[in-house]
Amino acid sequence: MEHEVFTWASLIPGLADLPAHVSNGIMVSIILLIVVFIGYTQLKKSEDQIIPDERVTVRSFLEVVVDGLSGLVESTMGPRGGEFLLIIGTLALFILFNNLSGLVPGFLPATDNVNTTFACSLTVFVMTHYYGVREHGIKYLKHFVGPFWWLAPIMIPIEIIGHLSRPLSLGLRLFGNITGDHLVTAIFFSLVPILVPLPVMLLGVFVAFVQTFVFMLLSMAYFSGAIAHEEH
Amino acid sequence: MPANGKRETWMAFMTYGSLGLEMGVSVAIGIAMGYYLDRYFGTSPILTLIFLIFGLIAGMKRLYTLWKKMEKEDDERGDDTRN
């Protein structure tokens, strides 16, 4: 899929020379920033309003989004989930908007490039160990030794392989699903442009949400594994 | 409980659905580590084979921990229904 395709990003002067996934990632980030900015100004305007709005406004919509995210994080990770809401919510919104942008004509989803997905999954990987060391101090390294000290020479490589397989599988899963979905949509679109791609696009919406959810769920599992205290 | 049960099913579906890829990837990482260590030390193919086995064990260990977790969750749910 290396042929020239039209993207909206190629119309913007500074972004035209960048690779497609970078420029589309930047555009999605800009859209997210605008949404956040609008929500923030709305929140400022109605800060001391106790009764919620009667109709659906930008503010109430964003409240639903943030409330849903924090509810999901806290129900999965327990009472300490609030600490991780920022990183997980950021990743979730970035990935979701990128996935969904693949369904808009003129956007290439940034998540159908391994560079983007591995950037997200390596962030999770690094932050997992950061949180682990912050929680347990140097004792965090004892996680790698295993139950018995004489098993250490075998357990340490095994644990290292197990930990390295997490970011690789996270990034690979997101990349594979979004690329496959985008490719199937493109093929159907090139065969019959009317009505036929619709079911595939519906599937695309489903895949976009499910993959975001899987990414969130697994990062939460890794974070809570890193901060968990061993109980024997 | 029914609504909660549906969500739990979804969560379980996604957690265990991710297992297959992770097992495969850990074998691949093991082989890659062994291959490059072999190239560095010039001991081909001993380290590749050893790390292949490490990778296999890592995949199995992931399966084992998930199984333990599943058992624990089952126990908790059993307690809930008994009370």
Side-chain angles (χ1 to χ4, degrees), chain B residues 20-59:
Chain B
L21 185 62
E22 229 164 286
M23 283 171 76
V25 160
S26 52
V27 177
I29 287 183
I31 292 180
M33 277 173 80
Y35 177 73
Y36 284 106
L37 284 176
D38 259 347
R39 283 235 305 223
Y40 186 75
F41 292 116
T43 51
S44 176
I46 301 161
L47 285 175
T48 311
L49 290 174
I50 292 173
F51 273 81
L52 164 66
I53 292 168
F54 281 159
L56 286 170
I57 298 174

Side-chain angles (χ1 to χ4, degrees), chain A residues 75 159 173 213 217 222, chain B residues 7 11 14 18 22 57 61:
Chain A
S75 72
E159 287 287 330
R173 179 181 311 112
F213 196 64
L217 210 66
Y222 298 154
Chain B
R7 234 191 86 203
M11 299 274 231
M14 284 162 187
S18 70
E22 229 164 286
I57 298 174
K61 190 168 170 290

Side-chain angles (χ1 to χ4, degrees), chain A residues 114 117-118 121 167-177, chain B residues 21 25:
Chain A
V114 270
T117 58
F118 281 136
S121 64
L168 192 60
S169 68
L170 264 186
L172 215 58
R173 179 181 311 112
L174 184 60
F175 157 74
N177 276 289
Chain B
L21 185 62
V25 160

Side-chain angles (χ1 to χ4, degrees), chain B residues 15-16 19 61-70:
Chain B
T15 322
Y16 304 128
L19 182 65
K61 190 168 170 290
R62 175 93 181 112
L63 184 65
Y64 178 77
T65 43
L66 262 180
W67 172 46
K68 280 285 165 206
K69 201 180 131 218
M70 193 165 76

